Amino acid sequence: MNETLISACMMFLVPATLLFGALGVANSSFLKMLVCLLGVATTGLWLYRIWWWTNLSLIDRRTALGLAGMFACAWLVTFLVQLKNVFSSR
């Protein structure tokens, strides 16, 4: 894999992973929602960066998009669960 691509993926992978830990220790629904929004935004930026990266081989692009896509799906599901929890408690 391209060394620059690895560094770019790590730049997004570390905060996205740390935010899952922050979600676990968040004690209010507002804070959980905020952490979920940060996670969705981080993985969205990651997907955007990989999608528009020029001069990537096809296998590198698909691998990086797959990794970012897995995190994006996880954050999206987590965000939707938080939305459900907020609106069902009212």
Side-chain angles (χ1 to χ4, degrees):
M1 247 179 124
N2 184 338
E3 289 296 323
T4 309
L5 178 62
I6 292 170
S7 298
C9 285
M10 285 179 56
M11 180 176 67
F12 291 104
L13 182 63
V14 171
T17 304
L18 290 175
L19 284 170
F20 275 116
L23 183 64
V25 297
N27 55 6
S28 70
S29 65
F30 173 75
L31 189 55
K32 287 182 182 189
M33 185 65 73
L34 184 62
V35 170
C36 285
L37 285 172
L38 287 171
V40 169
T42 301
T43 56
L45 288 171
W46 188 3
L47 282 169
Y48 176 81
R49 180 63 183 115
I50 299 302
W51 187 263
W52 292 107
W53 195 306
T54 57
N55 300 328
L56 271 182
S57 68
L58 185 61
I59 190 70
D60 284 349
R61 181 178 308 277
R62 286 184 179 169
T63 303
L65 285 174
L67 182 62
M70 285 189 301
F71 270 83
C73 287
W75 274 113
L76 189 60
V77 167
T78 307
F79 177 70
L80 292 174
V81 167
Q82 290 304 317
L83 273 178
K84 182 183 105 17
N85 289 344
V86 166
F87 288 115
S88 68
S89 65
R90 291 183 185 200

